[in-house]
Amino acid sequence: MIEENVLKIRQRICSLCSKINRDPDSITIVAVSKGRSKEQIGECVAIGITEIGENRVQEAIAKYKALTAQGSQIRTIKWHMVGHLQTNKARNAVEIFDLIQSVDSMHLALEIDRQAAKIDKVQSILVQVNTSGEPTKFGLKPSDTIEVIKQMARLKNIDITGLMTIAPIGGQPEKVRSYFRILRLLLDKINDLGLTSQKLKVLSMGMTDDFQIAIEEGSNMVRLGRAIFEG
Ligand SMILES: *Cc1c(COP(=O)(O)O)cnc(C)c1O
């Protein structure tokens, strides 16, 4: 089932990209495997999906340990933290995650920087922005983002590589599109202002229900759970 699902997703991305004149290979699929088994993650890896997203540190550590103990193919996994990260879990998070997508405060960035320094790591992160303004969602306000990124850019042990947002579930397509557009414009603005040592490249937006709209709006990283694991 996973293989068929992924094939369908790749086909959809390909046909969409040919319509909007984008390179389908420029779009990274992250399989969000919260609640799924290590065997299901193994199936993803076997068909070339090596970016794996988790939303809880404890669950991720258990899977990480189980999978790194196995065959070498599994070692190619890049682990993404996509859920809200509590400051007291930052130490464990920097030990296993290749990319922490959900950095939503200076306070958290400082702690990630401190913990990463201890293990001599430069931790790649995305800054999460709450583009819809929904009170239940984590993420910086768009209007605060530039100022916060200016401060985060001074930290030596984090590398800001892009921005992430989560659109409201079941939102109207045109509304959802506007929330993705806000994130893309913000990324362009940050790059125009030259706030970070390297230009931000990653725009992580789009999930099962809205990844096609997200790609039309410039997403180059989609985070898919149900589309991959349910059929
Ligand atoms: C669960 C989750 C996803 C995947 O959601 P689906 O709708 O199942 O594709 C993506 N991003 C985050 C942050 C998630 O928590």
Side-chain angles (χ1 to χ4, degrees):
M1 182 178 69
I2 290 175
E3 189 168 6
E4 283 167 33
N5 286 347
V6 170
L7 198 66
K8 264 191 239 153
I9 293 163
R10 283 182 172 141
Q11 279 166 351
R12 276 209 257 163
I13 291 177
C14 273
S15 64
L16 183 59
C17 281
S18 69
K19 259 193 251 162
I20 58 176
N21 214 1
R22 289 189 58 192
D23 175 8
D25 290 337
S26 68
I27 293 159
T28 302
I29 297 173
V30 178
V32 179
S33 55
K34 59 179 183 238
R36 320 284 177 185
S37 68
K38 62 183 199 296
E39 288 77 16
Q40 287 174 297
I41 296 175
E43 273 187 66
C44 290
V45 176
I47 53 171
I49 304 265
T50 54
E51 314 284 322
I52 300 296
E54 288 284 338
N55 71 340
R56 290 176 53 233
V57 176
Q58 285 322 109
E59 183 179 339
I61 289 174
K63 289 173 182 171
Y64 174 90
K65 282 189 180 154
L67 287 166
T68 41
Q70 291 177 7
S72 59
Q73 188 185 41
I74 301 294
R75 298 219 179 90
T76 62
I77 293 178
K78 295 261 184 279
W79 296 89
H80 295 239
M81 175 59 178
V82 299
H84 179 63
L85 181 60
Q86 288 170 306
T87 312
N88 63 2
K89 302 266 172 65
R91 185 175 64 84
N92 288 323
V94 300
E95 281 171 9
I96 66 164
F97 288 110
D98 296 285
L99 181 64
I100 299 175
Q101 297 206 9
S102 46
V103 179
D104 58 3
S105 70
M106 187 61 194
H107 179 63
L108 177 59
L110 280 166
E111 184 59 14
I112 292 172
D113 180 66
R114 197 170 76 86
Q115 296 296 342
K118 281 195 204 164
I119 59 169
D120 220 4
K121 180 181 184 184
V122 176
Q123 175 67 56
S124 293
I125 66 159
L126 303 182
V127 173
Q128 182 175 351
V129 184
N130 181 3
T131 56
S132 67
E134 278 198 322
T136 54
K137 286 214 163 19
F138 291 103
L140 290 170
K141 278 190 201 163
S143 58
D144 291 342
T145 303
I146 286 182
E147 194 48 46
V148 175
I149 285 188
K150 250 188 226 171
Q151 295 171 33
M152 286 183 187
R154 301 199 189 104
L155 302 175
K156 297 271 183 296
N157 288 81
I158 63 173
D159 180 22
I160 310 168
T161 61
L163 304 178
M164 184 271 249
T165 198
I166 303 173
I169 311 287
Q172 288 174 357
E174 288 318 304
K175 275 278 178 204
V176 166
R177 185 181 298 281
S178 74
Y179 302 137
F180 291 148
R181 192 164 295 169
I182 289 171
L183 197 71
R184 176 170 51 88
L185 293 174
L186 205 46
L187 181 121
D188 290 345
K189 189 160 179 198
I190 291 161
N191 285 339
D192 286 347
L193 293 169
L195 299 185
T196 49
S197 58
Q198 307 267 340
K199 284 209 186 299
L200 305 188
K201 293 205 182 76
V202 181
L203 258 183
S204 175
M205 54 190 200
M207 310 183 1
T208 293
D209 293 331
D210 53 27
F211 74 92
Q212 298 177 85
I213 298 174
I215 291 171
E216 286 169 0
E217 292 304 320
S219 169
N220 53 25
M221 181 172 282
V222 292
R223 307 179 310 270
L224 304 178
R226 288 166 299 139
I228 293 179
F229 295 104
E230 292 172 20

